[in-house]
Amino acid sequence: MGKLSAASIVERAIQIGDTEGIDAVTIRRLATDLGVTPMALYWHFKNKEQLLIGMADHLVANFAPKPADDRPWRLRLRELIEGLIHVLRAHPCARTVLEQIDKEDVPSYLAVWNEALGLTRAAGFADGESCLISKYLLQSAIAIADAPVHFRSGHTDEEIAEIVRVKRLSLESLPADTYPHLVRMADSMVNLPPGLYDSFGVDLILAGIESLAARRS
Amino acid sequence: MGKLSAASIVERAIQIGDTEGIDAVTIRRLATDLGVTPMALYWHFKNKEQLLIGMADHLVANFAPKPADDRPWRLRLRELIEGLIHVLRAHPCARTVLEQIDKEDVPSYLAVWNEALGLTRAAGFADGESCLISKYLLQSAIAIADAPVHFRSGHTDEEIAEIVRVKRLSLESLPADTYPHLVRMADSMVNLPPGLYDSFGVDLILAGIESLAARRS
DNA sequence: ACCTGAACACCGTTCAAGT
DNA sequence: ACCTGAACACCGTTCAAGT
């Protein structure tokens, strides 16, 4: 049973994070799950921060940028962000993990960033602009991937209905004189047109980039 | 010295968070700072989560939306996001605090959201679109406010120069064959054109919204 | 190389009790 | 109403030691 390895630790950590939240991902909990002493983990990771980085790297590594081709940059940028969103959405803990660390310490994240940087440069943006655009793009992907709970797998229809109901109620029971729009639109907030959530965020940021590109020339 | 109150606790917590990071904000640490027993804090906040919500509410409450007027919605939206960014940027811990909690539990955040919702609806977007746009807008404000360290107050020129140097070096010393663009643009990454950072993120998202508005009609 | 045992310095929180 | 004391069940991490 020499199963303990950096990879097996990280996989178990992600599993715990996905199902019980990031706070449940603890050195000691991980150790007992893996049938080992807490200190055993310190052989594979210098400290907890490195473990979190390992988790992030593993998560993002599921996304492999397509090799360069000659399609226009807008298509390739869209493919990049949609691919990243798709990969991250498979793991509920993805956003929290990525938030807790410095993303520049995550090799697979740097790879995606490098790719985005190449594409924005190819789009004709200056260096400084490319840096910011690529940064915001990846940031947005992470935020968009972290969809409301009823867009995720692993819930029955009844559970989703109940979550939506509770959430709408909590919005509707807000004081209507201080939050008039929020209260009035409570229903729209929880019952978004199907498909809108997935595409809208991507459309928004890509339209922004496109518009900056047009303004520049 | 009956100085202990929810407000004084929250203020001290923000102070600690700003200077030493959110992990230093601890019930016990707070208690000793305030010259009181840890359990005293539980009279004012049910638990640590409520304390974090209190911090977030206090931070965002520094932003007061301007009363409605008849200027075009693009101007008012821009003013909203720029104002929020300005207020949040005064506190280094703002982003981390807001990340750790459910923003729908933060009254002052709901007030800003309500305002944004009113403006996007006034812009002519449908209910569902308004919900998503306002959500992304506030999200972006938080992300943009969390600027790289050298855009913040409280650092000498020497400190900033050193931080920039180290960061550039760490980018430049990445393997150039796997991250060619990152390595080549390391300098641009840390030495952004002055003023670009502040405006670019806002321009990007507002251009996106504008473009969606145009497409719709 | 890989893991264990014991110990240290922390956490958040409950519950009964004080004033 | 507001705060304390003692206790509980956790954390991450170090360091020396085992195989």
Side-chain angles (χ1 to χ4, degrees):
Chain A
M1 275 311 108
K3 275 204 54 186
L4 198 64
S5 68
S8 66
I9 295 171
V10 158
E11 276 158 26
R12 182 78 209 174
I14 291 175
Q15 194 180 330
I16 296 174
D18 279 343
T19 55
E20 304 176 43
I22 196 70
D23 288 345
V25 177
T26 212
I27 299 281
R28 296 179 115 106
R29 159 70 188 278
L30 226 27
T32 61
D33 271 30
L34 297 166
V36 94
T37 259
M39 290 61 77
L41 305 197
Y42 283 87
W43 177 259
H44 302 275
F45 297 96
K46 184 171 152 274
N47 51 35
K48 193 178 176 181
E49 196 196 343
Q50 292 303 313
L51 170 63
L52 286 167
I53 291 173
M55 290 174 72
D57 192 48
H58 191 85
L59 287 169
V60 179
N62 287 329
F63 172 68
K66 300 270 169 43
D69 55 31
D70 49 1
R71 286 173 303 151
W73 60 267
R74 25 204 124 228
L75 284 188
R76 299 193 58 213
L77 256 193
R78 175 176 282 271
E79 188 181 73
L80 182 84
I81 185 172
E82 285 181 344
L84 184 56
I85 290 173
H86 182 254
V87 155
L88 293 181
R89 196 164 282 177
H91 291 280
C93 72
R95 181 177 194 171
T96 12
V97 171
L98 284 164
E99 270 170 358
Q100 308 235 1
I101 56 171
D102 188 348
K103 297 177 203 71
E104 307 200 10
D105 294 329
V106 181
S108 58
Y109 190 87
L110 289 178
V112 184
W113 197 0
N114 178 72
E115 196 66 18
L117 220 35
L119 291 176
T120 46
R121 287 281 11 232
F125 287 103
D127 281 8
E129 291 172 333
S130 291
C131 291
L132 288 172
I133 291 176
S134 58
K135 213 171 165 183
Y136 287 136
L137 190 79
L138 300 199
Q139 221 160 236
S140 302
I142 296 172
I144 294 170
D146 188 43
V149 72
H150 50 289
F151 278 85
R152 317 205 98 124
S153 52
H155 288 94
T156 68
D157 287 357
E158 288 84 22
E159 284 172 333
I160 293 176
E162 177 61 8
I163 292 169
V164 166
R165 199 187 62 83
V166 168
K167 194 155 183 212
R168 201 189 60 202
L169 212 95
S170 87
L171 282 175
E172 280 172 344
S173 55
L174 249 34
D177 47 344
T178 44
Y179 313 107
H181 302 111
L182 227 33
V183 172
R184 184 165 37 79
M185 296 173 73
D187 185 69
S188 309
M189 202 65 101
V190 296
N191 283 318
L192 292 168
L196 189 59
Y197 195 94
D198 277 347
S199 61
F200 201 78
V202 177
D203 285 350
L204 181 53
I205 184 141
L206 287 181
I209 295 175
E210 193 90 40
S211 155
L212 291 183
R215 173 185 310 180
R216 180 203 52 208
S217 62
Chain B
M1 275 313 108
K3 274 203 55 185
L4 197 64
S5 67
S8 66
I9 295 171
V10 157
E11 275 158 26
R12 181 79 208 174
I14 290 175
Q15 194 178 329
I16 296 176
D18 279 343
T19 56
E20 304 175 44
I22 195 70
D23 288 346
V25 177
T26 212
I27 299 281
R28 296 178 113 105
R29 160 70 188 278
L30 226 28
T32 62
D33 271 29
L34 296 168
V36 93
T37 258
M39 289 61 75
L41 304 197
Y42 282 88
W43 177 259
H44 301 275
F45 296 95
K46 184 171 152 273
N47 52 33
K48 193 178 177 183
E49 197 196 342
Q50 292 302 312
L51 170 63
L52 286 168
I53 291 174
M55 291 175 71
D57 191 48
H58 192 85
L59 288 168
V60 178
N62 287 329
F63 172 68
K66 299 270 171 39
D69 55 30
D70 49 1
R71 288 174 301 153
W73 61 267
R74 28 204 122 228
L75 285 188
R76 299 193 59 209
L77 256 193
R78 175 176 281 271
E79 188 181 74
L80 182 85
I81 185 171
E82 285 180 344
L84 184 57
I85 290 173
H86 181 255
V87 155
L88 293 180
R89 196 165 283 176
H91 290 281
C93 72
R95 183 179 192 170
T96 12
V97 171
L98 283 164
E99 271 171 355
Q100 307 235 3
I101 56 171
D102 187 347
K103 298 177 202 70
E104 308 201 9
D105 295 330
V106 180
S108 58
Y109 190 87
L110 289 178
V112 184
W113 197 359
N114 178 71
E115 196 65 19
L117 220 34
L119 291 176
T120 46
R121 287 279 11 229
F125 287 104
D127 280 9
E129 292 172 333
S130 291
C131 291
L132 288 171
I133 291 176
S134 59
K135 211 172 167 183
Y136 286 136
L137 190 80
L138 300 198
Q139 220 160 237
S140 302
I142 297 173
I144 294 169
D146 187 43
V149 72
H150 50 289
F151 277 86
R152 317 204 98 125
S153 52
H155 288 94
T156 70
D157 287 357
E158 289 84 21
E159 284 174 333
I160 292 175
E162 176 63 9
I163 291 170
V164 166
R165 200 188 62 82
V166 168
K167 195 156 182 208
R168 200 188 63 203
L169 211 96
S170 86
L171 282 174
E172 280 171 345
S173 55
L174 250 34
D177 47 344
T178 43
Y179 314 105
H181 302 111
L182 269 176
V183 173
R184 182 165 38 80
M185 297 173 72
D187 186 69
S188 310
M189 202 65 100
V190 296
N191 285 318
L192 292 169
L196 189 59
Y197 195 93
D198 277 348
S199 60
F200 201 79
V202 177
D203 285 350
L204 182 51
I205 183 141
L206 287 182
I209 295 174
E210 193 88 41
S211 155
L212 291 184
R215 174 185 308 178
R216 182 205 48 206
S217 60

